[in-house]
Amino acid sequence: MSEKPITGEKRAFMTGNEVVAWACLAAGADIMYGYPITPQNEIMHYWTRQIPKYGRKFLQTEDELSAGFTTVGGVLAGLKAFTATAGPGNTLMQEPMSMAEMMRLPVVTIVQQRGGPSTATVIYSQQEVTLTTQGGNGEGMRIVYSPSNHQELFDYTIKAFNTAWKYRFPTFVLGDGYQAKLRESVTLYDPEEKGIERVPSEKYVGKPGTPGVDREPGHYRNTYNTEEELFEVLQQHFADFEKMTPEVVEYAQDNVEDADLVIVAHGVVFRGVRDAVKELREAGYKVGFFRPITLRPFPAEQLKAIANKTKKLLIAESAQGQLAKLVKDAIYGASAEIVPMFRPGVGITTEQIVAKVKEVL
Amino acid sequence: MSVSPQPAMPKSWRVESKPHKFCPGCGHGLVLKCLGEAIDELGIQDKVVFGCDIGCSLLSWDFFNCDSVQTHHGRTTPVMTGIKRANPDAICVAYMGDGGGYAIGIGGIVNAAARNEKVTVLLANNTVYAMTGGQMSPCTMPGQKVETAPYGRDPEATGMPTQGPEMISAITGDGAYVARGTTSNLKQLKSYIKKALQNQMEGNGFSFVEALAGCPTNWRTNAEKTWAFIEKEMPQYYKVGEKKNPFEAKKEAQQNG
């Protein structure tokens, strides 16, 4: 292996897709399997430009089904493998991810959301929340990070590989078209220099020795003969997911203690919310924010505690209630009134949030 | 000296999962026996990663004392490709039926073949979707009665059966090995499978063997009629033999050179 992609801290001004490619290099990702779809393409553009220097690999497949399943194969062979997709590609990607879920494969997928349903726009939305957190047949046992700026895109892409390999559930970084395409400042770093533990990968197949002679063969399947057998297998997965949840859940909150209204938002929409809360506080409104960073598992306990104290939860999202569903499920039985601010497929500005809060408070 | 009444199993078979779970008379056991013997003779049990599809082939998920991965319908070729790309030392074998290879998995198999991926694909052609109850597959013969063509397959309405090895030999580059064998000639089938594995071991290119195989359960045939269909009906359309052989090509080039 050649030199490290990043040493020391490097300030850069780049697009989100470029940030992701650098994060994957820094995280020690070995191979990307991908299929082009807007707005994530530049991840593979930058990856393929950099990898000859660092001895990493790439395969462009014929579609997202194969991109997902070859990524599954890469992980089975013991490499830190990843893919990236969006929209209709994310839809196809759910088939391999349901297999990864059943086989407990730490596949990392970057999703740069675009508008939906179907082809919709190639630009932006937050409409892949339900698909990414719950897609595929099964119970949606996966980890989903929702970054809101380029620094977080870098931090959480690195973290995604570590979380995936530590807990062995498929892990997603749920970005969006705005984050993918806009340029902003970011500090790149080598995670090891920062003391971030790099969780080692491990072979599922092809371990040393002859199977049946020196060791048991690795037999991985996702078909079960009886209902009871499947039920038993799933109990362990549920138990592992539940045990992992408090260790993995991440969120941010501010000004919630005395708030009459708390705004709930994730991803880039949170940027507008953060500024709106500052502005509204300065104007004397008792407003705070709660931001889930992991959408799956969801910081349910933490939000429920807030929902039992504040009068209103304003849910701001660029989708028609996909985050709201997660919120309602999390806070069931709490006293706060839910106020929707749904703008599917379009962005939400600070001014719009301020106006909405003034209208409902 | 006593003679064992049991026929010998390939060494690479996993005794704990035998007797196998296929129906009596099913062709899968025969194809997998050829594969097992080929693995033994080549001494690659420690290197083989075996992948199987959904459908009857999934019953082979723990068939061998080799690492194995059971995947989705039609997705075995991409999974094995992913493993091979990540670990070029592995000998990756994708095992599927005609539905998994020629219908839902055609995109995966055609593109892997076109890229000349260094994996070996074994496809059992029994002319039906068997595990799902005997529906029409891309390989159902003209006039053959199946659940979704109860009056017999009509090529006017559904086209002619897929000629897999012919197609794959046309789209693969140099170094690909392509053959069609039959469970009615196991010695020949084993030699094809062995060459398909050797071809991968030498890193030449894509290797593909289709095996004509019986499905007495869905064909609703007795032993005599099952063999008549495999030996007489199927080869009329599905010509047995090697379609592309880089070993022969190399030999010829040496002779001419």
Side-chain angles (χ1 to χ4, degrees), chain A residues 217 219, chain B residues 6-22 28-30 32-33 36 50 59-66:
Chain A
H219 285 152
Chain B
Q6 291 288 332
M9 282 190 207
K11 282 205 190 74
S12 53
W13 275 22
R14 185 166 175 80
V15 176
E16 290 88 331
S17 61
K18 305 296 171 297
H20 62 61
K21 306 172 191 88
F22 297 105
H28 278 293
L30 296 171
L32 294 168
K33 186 166 188 184
F50 176 83
L59 296 175
S60 62
W61 70 276
D62 61 349
F63 204 95
F64 294 98
N65 264 332
C66 297

Side-chain angles (χ1 to χ4, degrees), chain B residues 170-194:
Chain B
I171 61 172
T172 39
D174 291 343
Y177 177 84
V178 186
R180 180 187 285 119
T182 170
T183 49
S184 67
N185 186 347
L186 294 176
K187 206 175 154 194
Q188 180 196 52
L189 178 61
K190 186 172 87 179
S191 79
Y192 291 169
I193 291 173
K194 204 171 160 184

